[in-house]
Amino acid sequence: MRLFLFLSLIGLGPMLAAPAAAKVRVVGTLPDFAAIAAEIGGERVEASSLILGTEDPHFVDPKPSHVVRLRSADLLVCIGMGLEAGWLPALLSQSRNGAIQPGGPGYLDASAFIRPEEVPTVADRALGDIHAAGNPHYYTSPVAMRAVAEGIYRKLLDLDPDGRADIERGWKTFAERYDRKLAEWKAAFAARASTRVVEYHRSWVYLLSFAGWESAGALEPKPGIPPSPAHVGKLLQTVRDRNVRFVIQEVYFPDRLSRLFAEKAGARLVKLPSMVGAAPDIRTLEDKFERIAKLLTAPAD
């Protein structure tokens, strides 16, 4: 009997001596960040986001569940550039998690990896919802988000040195596949270079820069200011002879005015997924940009 127990313990020894590695708990404000971390980190990462892909990231209702997730997080990845300023600081304060406070080892401002566009020369609230550090909607650019993904990869290596081999393998798989798609998307947009669009909100400057396309204006008279009849009428007169092909907007904005404007301008309204999760089948960064590219570059019916 004793011999049996001894042999049994020997057999169980490796299992008892090697408990499962603790996962790096990643919280992204943006669902894209959580998707990137999960894809690169695999089984070594537990990732979630505070924003839904169908929500306006400027206006997020803080919830107790957000505080709970932040309290146990090892890494917080945020958009930065002031976009979350109206709701994230209070959640961070309530979390009492020193590691993920600005400057902490578990805090990552993803905007550090991109080149800002539309940096204002004058900070004046009369100009609308402008951000002193520049337009914060860089997550609409495939190339900007590639840089962000590499930043998240390097941060995961810092936080989980024991998982280096797995994380490097995950990054290699992600980067090779994503770079192939990046070249495809670039070529698809280049084939329709200089296309003009009207935006609802000034959210798409980074995508348009990547595509080599042009914004002919925005339905919002100023960022964050709802469209007015006077502004919309003036914009329509401005763009009517400029061969505007699309009116583009996020899924969370109302589309009645956009649809009417598109009809009068001879354009097509396209509601684009600005974030992962904007539609049930958009689960990864690649899913998102593949959908955007198809919606904007597919042959017209």
Side-chain angles (χ1 to χ4, degrees), residues 81-98:
M81 301 177 78
L83 185 60
E84 305 116 330
W87 55 272
L88 184 58
L91 288 173
L92 280 175
S93 176
Q94 293 173 46
S95 76
R96 299 183 180 179
N97 181 347

Side-chain angles (χ1 to χ4, degrees), residues 37-290:
E39 196 166 354
I40 294 171
E43 293 297 320
R44 301 196 69 87
V45 163
E46 179 184 303
S48 63
S49 65
L50 302 181
I51 301 171
L52 298 176
T54 53
E55 286 184 310
D56 185 341
H58 294 87
F59 308 107
V60 174
D61 291 328
K63 301 175 184 176
S65 60
H66 292 160
V67 176
V68 172
R69 269 185 275 170
L70 290 171
R71 186 168 293 152
S72 61
D74 300 302
L75 173 61
L76 169 67
V77 187
C78 63
I79 301 166
M81 301 177 78
L83 185 60
E84 305 116 330
W87 55 272
L88 184 58
L91 288 173
L92 280 175
S93 176
Q94 293 173 46
S95 76
R96 299 183 180 179
N97 181 347
I100 63 168
Q101 304 299 320
Y107 179 87
L108 188 65
D109 182 340
S111 69
F113 306 109
I114 64 99
R115 178 180 295 177
E117 298 211 27
E118 297 187 336
V119 180
T121 55
V122 178
D124 185 349
R125 296 303 295 179
L127 300 176
D129 185 23
I130 62 170
H131 299 271
N135 189 313
H137 299 283
Y138 58 84
Y139 49 87
T140 63
S141 163
V143 70
M145 289 303 284
R146 203 277 187 196
V148 169
E150 185 168 358
I152 292 173
Y153 153 64
R154 298 195 180 282
K155 193 65 173 180
L156 290 175
L157 288 179
D158 291 341
L159 293 175
D160 185 14
D162 292 340
R164 173 172 289 272
D166 291 335
I167 295 168
E168 287 183 340
R169 191 179 306 112
W171 167 249
K172 185 173 185 292
T173 300
F174 172 91
E176 288 179 351
R177 185 179 64 249
Y178 191 83
D179 286 349
R180 287 194 297 271
K181 295 303 299 184
L182 198 59
E184 290 178 18
W185 299 327
K186 188 73 172 177
F189 281 114
R192 296 160 179 80
S194 302
T195 295
R196 293 188 179 93
V197 306
V198 166
E199 306 163 82
Y200 184 95
H201 179 76
R202 290 284 295 169
S203 315
W204 302 97
V205 56
Y206 294 92
L207 174 67
L208 297 177
S209 292
F210 172 78
W213 290 14
E214 177 187 343
S215 175
L219 293 179
E220 289 183 341
K222 298 174 183 177
I225 306 299
S228 66
H231 170 74
V232 171
K234 183 177 179 181
L235 180 61
L236 184 60
Q237 292 299 321
T238 301
V239 305
R240 184 162 275 161
D241 298 323
R242 296 191 65 193
N243 194 28
V244 170
R245 186 173 180 187
F246 299 111
V247 175
I248 59 176
Q249 68 170 75
E250 292 88 338
V251 299
Y252 50 77
F253 283 125
D255 66 2
R256 184 172 177 272
L257 177 61
S258 304
R259 195 171 301 280
L260 180 61
F261 184 93
E263 289 174 1
K264 290 184 177 296
R268 181 159 62 94
L269 172 64
V270 182
K271 299 172 74 172
L272 298 175
S274 61
M275 294 177 280
V276 170
D281 58 342
I282 299 177
R283 302 183 182 91
T284 68
L285 197 64
E286 183 180 323
D287 290 341
K288 181 180 86 169
F289 288 119
E290 184 73 6

Side-chain angles (χ1 to χ4, degrees), residues 8-21:
S8 298
L9 287 173
I10 290 176
L12 290 172
M15 295 168 54
L16 295 173

